[in-house]
Amino acid sequence: MNRLKYWLVFIGGFWSFVCGATDVAREADYAERITKTLSVGEMVWLQANDRKFLSIYTETEYPGIKEAAIILHDKGAHPDRKPLIHGLRTELPKHRWSTLALQMPLRESGAEVEDYFDLFVEATARLRAALNFLEKKEYETIAIVGHGMGALMALQAYNDLQDDIKALAIIDIPATRNTAARTVEWIRRAELPLLDLLVSREIPNEVFSSAKRRLAAKDNTHYRQASINDDEAMMVKRVYSWLRRTMETLASAENDEETAEKESAKNEADAQGI
């Protein structure tokens, strides 16, 4: 076991046992593998709740662009998991978005969706650390793209972090009736642009869940739900295309609002003979 892996396991092992925190040994294993294989982007160690965790930062190829997407993997995975997470974090920079892919908290191998719910607090702390990192680099527009459990973690964290997040894309969010995952409530309260991307499956529980999410978001004019085949390349393309259109729409709306305010001020000045 190398020094980094030993250090991570030693510091986090006892805390993980007594509090149900992240599986530190699994995180260390993933970090060791990524260190040996990473070819695009750079490893960045962030800190949340006195624990270091891995992220991979990949800067956009476009100079002067201040848009970044935080990428969150599914349960049991890591920030360079192929093909989807790797594709998102390496392709979005080619389309004006820098990326920061995070190692999210983990359970033991074979853990179910419900086993991850008590990691939500830790997940939110990691997202806050990621936002701080990007804001120090002066990124002005920050989105989150989450897959599976990463999507669920992003959605629940939005309630605490909403002022700093401009858009959210959730891919194949898990369907669960467990009350700890208040998916419908979180979507109802979300006011930001939200892409709800479904991977096509004929599973009754998932069909029911997606219909409830659509209904919950009926007042959000920036909510989009779409179904897509299990094709990771198309998922990546759909995400960056949606991000581009969304930012263009928001920019246009802001320009219209600014123009209207100037016109109103001018009319008021004219009326007062200024």
Side-chain angles (χ1 to χ4, degrees):
M1 182 182 295
N2 64 29
R3 183 176 299 177
L4 171 62
K5 183 176 177 181
Y6 177 83
W7 180 81
L8 286 170
V9 174
F10 177 78
I11 293 296
F14 179 73
W15 181 255
S16 300
F17 176 75
V18 297
C19 298
T22 188
D23 188 325
V24 179
R26 290 191 79 192
E27 287 199 34
D29 282 336
Y30 284 147
E32 188 175 25
R33 294 184 210 173
I34 292 171
T35 298
K36 297 176 181 178
T37 60
L38 188 68
S39 59
V40 179
E42 61 177 301
M43 295 176 65
V44 176
W45 287 92
L46 302 178
Q47 184 165 321
N49 295 336
D50 298 321
R51 178 181 291 121
K52 291 185 181 296
F53 66 96
L54 176 65
S55 69
I56 306 175
Y57 174 61
T58 310
E59 195 168 1
T60 181
E61 301 174 0
Y62 292 84
I65 300 298
K66 291 301 180 179
E67 298 174 337
I70 300 172
I71 311 297
L72 309 182
H73 60 75
D74 196 2
K75 67 182 181 71
H78 58 75
D80 199 32
R81 173 61 64 88
K82 295 179 180 179
L84 181 57
I85 297 302
H86 176 83
L88 286 166
R89 76 164 194 84
T90 58
E91 286 298 316
L92 263 62
K94 299 175 185 178
H95 299 272
R96 305 171 67 89
W97 287 83
S98 297
T99 58
L100 184 66
L102 307 186
Q103 176 63 65
M104 299 307 287
L106 298 172
R107 279 291 184 225
E108 68 280 3
S109 179
E112 300 297 330
V113 168
E114 288 75 11
D115 298 325
Y116 275 77
F117 292 162
D118 60 356
L119 297 180
F120 282 170
V121 171
E122 189 169 352
T124 299
R126 294 192 182 195
L127 276 165
R128 194 183 305 279
L131 286 166
N132 290 338
F133 172 83
L134 293 172
E135 287 168 354
K136 286 179 181 178
K137 287 188 170 292
E138 300 182 343
Y139 282 99
E140 299 168 355
T141 302
I142 300 174
I144 300 179
V145 182
H147 174 227
M149 179 52 62
L152 198 57
M153 288 176 166
L155 192 58
Q156 67 85 28
Y158 170 70
N159 289 313
D160 293 328
L161 309 173
Q162 54 186 290
D163 291 340
D164 298 310
I165 301 169
K166 302 303 182 186
L168 174 60
I170 56 177
I171 304 171
D172 203 19
I173 194 166
T176 174
R177 297 182 184 276
N178 191 301
T179 56
R182 301 188 301 275
T183 310
V184 172
E185 177 186 342
W186 294 330
I187 286 182
R188 181 179 295 114
R189 294 165 61 180
E191 298 179 351
L192 81 172
L194 175 57
L195 174 65
D196 185 356
L197 197 57
L198 313 175
V199 178
S200 298
R201 298 190 189 95
E202 293 299 326
I203 301 176
N205 190 36
E206 293 189 359
V207 172
F208 174 76
S209 180
S210 62
K212 291 189 69 174
R213 297 200 301 274
R214 282 198 308 275
L215 182 62
K218 61 184 176 62
D219 294 327
N220 183 351
T221 58
H222 298 294
Y223 174 85
R224 295 291 181 271
Q225 187 179 93
S227 182
I228 193 168
N229 291 330
D230 195 2
D231 181 333
E232 287 80 4
M234 288 302 299
M235 293 180 202
V236 172
K237 183 176 180 180
R238 190 63 178 263
V239 168
Y240 67 66
S241 297
W242 176 79
L243 284 172
R244 174 181 54 78
R245 291 193 304 271
T246 297
M247 292 304 109
E248 289 174 351
T249 299
L250 292 180
S252 177
E254 289 176 1
N255 290 336
D256 290 345
E257 183 177 344
E258 184 177 348
T259 300
E261 289 176 355
K262 289 180 179 179
E263 186 66 25
S264 177
K266 180 178 181 301
N267 292 338
E268 183 177 348
D270 290 342
Q272 296 177 1
I274 299 176

